[in-house]
Amino acid sequence: MSRSSLARLALLALLWGSGFLWIKLALRGFTPTQIVLVRLTLGALVLAPIALARGMRFPTGRMTWVHLFVAALVANAIPYTLFGIGERTVGSNVAGVINATTPLWTVLVAFLAGTDRSVSWRRGIGLALGFAGTVLIFTPWESANEIASWGGVAILAASASYGVSYVYMGKFLTNKGIPPIMLSASQLAAGAVLMLFALPFGGLVAPHWRLDAVGSLIILGIFGTGLAYVLNYRLIGDEGPTVASTTTYLLPLVAVGLGALVVNERVTLPMIAGMIVVLGGVALVQRRTSRAPTEAPSHTETDTSTRPGK
């Protein structure tokens, strides 16, 4: 990997890994619904001008927009809102660690949906390890554990929703002749429209205009949602989807580190052990992807349109 790509990978991991912290801080002044609406709007406002300046045009097909709205629902509106709800009661470090289960959910959903029925012993062991690590993170045998709460369940459900979105977009939106950056800009715009309809559900409350909350929301929307897409596209174009996918391993490390340093969140031994087990499972599951060069174009498209759902 070139030095410039390595720098982009590190910056991308920082942007996405810190997103859990920005959500936590933004909740000090805004509701989850308000956070998601502003985040998606700012992300679309960053990506759309870039796409239009490159001569791209918004999709015109009716069914394409139907699929975009469904994708925005399961990849943006639902999981982003669930992360906001979950982080009201659990730490941003916990959210980052649980989010590492997303690739495992993706494989499971793809198998159940019939889009990928190939199962090797590595993938089987990887899935088993991943979900064992998830149980270890939750430590349900500790009744006082904040993770074993509805907040933790909401974050786990958000990660599962990401898994559904990867499979859905891979089937209905990628490889359809729409440039990934325009596909993503359109999806974020569709998500913003959906969140406008969701405003009556927790979005009509007067926000608290705290400086830390406003700053966090701006950073989350412009940098963590908009700029992160651009970096991801460039990284995939220069190094390929396999290298770009390694951000999966870095996000929980960034989330745990920033949570401990910035907001003094407690780091427990089960959390660290569970994170290691989950990432080990993800490594085994993803080994098949790196050995399947004939599928590279499909994975490239899927990554470019769905990765920034963090």
Side-chain angles (χ1 to χ4, degrees), residues 8-289:
R8 291 188 188 97
L9 179 66
L11 181 56
L12 189 60
L14 180 61
L15 288 173
W16 278 342
S18 64
F20 308 103
L21 174 63
W22 303 131
I23 293 172
K24 189 75 172 180
L25 295 176
L27 284 168
R28 294 177 176 179
F30 304 91
T31 68
T33 304
Q34 292 168 344
I35 291 172
V36 178
L37 173 60
V38 175
R39 176 181 184 178
L40 292 177
T41 302
L42 290 177
L45 290 176
V46 170
L47 286 182
I50 295 175
L52 294 173
R54 294 181 180 179
M56 303 173 193
R57 294 294 179 263
F58 284 102
T60 56
R62 183 176 62 180
M63 284 308 301
T64 298
W65 278 103
V66 170
H67 291 312
L68 280 169
F69 271 95
V70 174
L73 181 67
V74 296
N76 303 114
I78 290 177
Y80 285 8
T81 303
L82 286 176
F83 269 104
I85 293 172
E87 288 196 48
R88 281 176 159 175
T89 55
V90 304
S92 62
N93 55 359
V94 172
V97 171
I98 296 176
N99 183 73
T101 63
T102 296
L104 306 175
W105 288 112
T106 304
V107 172
L108 182 61
V109 172
F111 179 83
L112 295 176
T115 58
D116 186 356
R117 286 292 175 88
S118 58
V119 179
S120 65
W121 66 269
R122 280 196 184 91
R123 298 188 100 186
I125 294 176
L127 284 171
L129 279 176
F131 288 106
T134 303
V135 173
L136 187 58
I137 293 168
F138 272 79
T139 53
W141 50 87
E142 294 183 13
S143 58
N145 186 9
E146 65 167 350
I147 306 174
S149 63
W150 286 115
V153 171
I155 293 171
L156 189 65
S159 302
S161 185
Y162 284 147
V164 173
S165 72
Y166 275 88
V167 176
Y168 185 89
M169 284 185 273
K171 183 176 179 62
F172 295 109
L173 286 173
T174 61
N175 297 323
K176 304 298 183 183
I178 305 173
I181 191 169
M182 177 53 77
L183 196 62
S184 299
S186 302
Q187 179 182 312
L188 292 179
V193 172
L194 289 175
M195 293 310 299
L196 283 175
F197 287 101
L199 274 180
F201 304 96
L204 300 180
V205 180
H208 299 288
W209 299 100
R210 294 173 50 121
L211 183 61
D212 54 352
V214 173
S216 297
L217 187 53
I218 292 174
I219 292 173
L220 184 65
I222 294 178
F223 297 98
T225 306
L227 178 61
Y229 269 97
V230 179
L231 286 173
N232 191 51
Y233 302 143
R234 180 62 184 274
L235 188 61
I236 291 174
D238 290 347
E239 303 293 341
T242 301
V243 171
S245 70
T246 57
T247 52
T248 301
Y249 302 93
L250 302 176
L251 300 188
L253 303 179
V254 174
V256 169
L258 288 177
L261 291 174
V262 179
V263 289
N264 298 316
E265 290 177 339
R266 189 167 63 98
V267 181
T268 65
L269 185 59
M271 185 193 305
I272 297 298
M275 177 175 65
I276 294 173
V277 173
V278 166
L279 294 179
V282 171
L284 286 175
V285 167
Q286 289 190 338
R287 283 195 67 177
R288 177 182 173 275
T289 301

